[in-house]
Amino acid sequence: MIYLNGKFMPIEEACIPVLDRGFIFGDGVYEVIPVYSRKPFRLDEHLKRLQYSLDGIRLKNPFDNDEWRHLLEQVVAQNDGEDQYIYLHITRGVAKRDHAFPVNVAPTVFIMSNPLLPPPAEMLISGAAAITAVDNRWARCDVKAISLLPNVLLRQLAVDAQATETILIRDGFLTEGAASNIFIVKNNILLAPPKSNLMLPGITYDVVLELAAADQMAHEVRPISETEVRLADEILLTSSTKEIMPITSLDKKPVGDGKPGKLFTRLHALYQNYKATRMRGLTSGTAG
Ligand code: PDD
């Protein structure tokens, strides 16, 4: 069951007009929110980032946080699985094709939820492969825009190379993955690229840095050069759907000793523990 513009319906019945600006221009923003034990994880943070993305494209938020919370609860309740991931999508609505913003047009709001499967155990034992590519996206990667063609093309490079993710390098520095944030480890220090207009401010990225700080793990947020990525002892990938994953090969060469590293193992355990504690502390349907 999905939500589209005020109605709940089976996804097969959901239709949007061809003149929707999301279809014509990719003119919209989205969020992906993990749901554990039927409770959205870090919902306030996701809604805050949604507001930031809407501000970035000058589109009014159609709902306040309580309304979003209520809608998301209903979508989760109508779908299978204790663990799900919500995809929500807002476009500038349906109007005659013209680049300039239409006047007095209602936005299109679409929400769906799918089962969230944990990363395969094999992935946590052996890690995943990644490749590198030049980050050729626009200069507003901090906005979670639905126009994802560059990300789609970059991610496909990984698939073509039998790898899981494409790690992006812009002007000699690490930005992020095609659909994830990237950390490295060198000499037992966790390193994260600083937030800027060139990367998505990941919700999982924030969680990992909070966990590292609480655990008194040595960590630094600073620009990371391509050379540092290539010489890293560990590379970690984070996203709402993949949580934390070890990258154990880069451009077909082993990362460190080619196995998931010590800091990955520690952060993965901390993340699982944090998730469990947080979910126990929340009553059904609410989230923080
Ligand atoms: N993608 N960077 C990019 C370009 C992303 O697309 C994503 C997530 C992230 C990680 O952000 P977060 O931790 O908030 O999920 C970073 C989602 C999962 C997607 O598009 O499906």
Side-chain angles (χ1 to χ4, degrees), residues 30 32 49 144 151 176 178-181 200 202-204 239-241:
Y30 76 107
V32 174
R49 185 172 67 184
K144 204 161 168 63
N151 303 63
E176 58 181 338
S180 59
N181 289 114
L200 187 78
I203 306 299
T204 325
S239 88
S240 291
T241 46

Side-chain angles (χ1 to χ4, degrees), residues 65-79:
N65 280 5
D66 284 342
E67 289 168 326
W68 277 119
R69 218 169 261 129
H70 185 58
L71 270 180
L72 300 181
E73 261 171 36
Q74 292 179 77
V75 173
V76 169
Q78 294 180 57
N79 280 282

Side-chain angles (χ1 to χ4, degrees), residues 19-221:
L19 284 179
D20 192 283
R21 289 177 63 96
F23 182 58
I24 296 286
F25 293 120
D27 184 1
V29 297
Y30 76 107
E31 270 299 324
V32 174
I33 308 169
V35 173
Y36 298 111
S37 308
R38 297 197 169 270
K39 292 163 201 149
F41 181 68
R42 304 274 280 203
L43 181 57
D44 287 351
E45 288 84 349
H46 280 279
L47 291 177
K48 195 166 160 207
R49 185 172 67 184
L50 176 65
Q51 185 62 56
Y52 179 84
S53 296
L54 287 166
D55 291 345
I57 70 160
R58 297 165 58 188
L59 184 58
K60 191 172 171 292
N61 197 331
F63 301 119
D64 66 26
N65 280 5
D66 284 342
E67 289 168 326
W68 277 119
R69 218 169 261 129
H70 185 58
L71 270 180
L72 300 181
E73 261 171 36
Q74 292 179 77
V75 173
V76 169
Q78 294 180 57
N79 280 282
D80 290 338
E82 289 299 292
D83 295 351
Q84 304 179 16
Y85 69 96
I86 295 165
Y87 174 86
L88 76 84
H89 171 127
I90 308 164
T91 80
R92 210 180 303 273
V94 180
K96 184 170 171 294
R97 185 179 180 279
D98 178 3
H99 288 60
F101 297 171
V103 181
N104 290 332
V105 166
T108 299
V109 181
F110 167 53
I111 311 170
M112 65 177 167
S113 192
N114 283 292
L116 176 61
L117 304 172
E122 162 63 17
M123 192 71 91
L124 301 178
I125 296 164
S126 321
I131 60 163
T132 54
V134 170
D135 191 344
N136 55 8
R137 300 172 301 162
W138 68 334
R140 287 307 308 275
C141 299
D142 53 331
V143 169
K144 204 161 168 63
I146 60 168
S147 27
L148 284 171
L149 183 56
N151 303 63
V152 166
L153 294 172
L154 289 163
R155 176 77 212 298
Q156 187 60 33
L157 295 177
V159 174
D160 294 346
Q162 279 96 47
T164 297
E165 181 59 304
T166 305
I167 295 180
L168 306 177
I169 307 288
R170 195 189 287 247
D171 299 330
F173 287 89
L174 167 68
T175 53
E176 58 181 338
S180 59
N181 289 114
I182 301 292
F183 294 75
I184 71 163
V185 175
K186 190 71 188 175
N187 300 331
N188 288 313
I189 304 174
L190 178 71
L191 300 172
K195 287 182 187 172
S196 76
N197 58 312
L198 300 180
M199 68 174 245
L200 187 78
I203 306 299
T204 325
Y205 166 103
D206 284 340
V207 174
V208 166
L209 285 178
E210 285 170 26
L211 292 173
D215 198 46
Q216 292 177 353
M217 183 184 284
H219 63 284
E220 286 172 27
V221 178

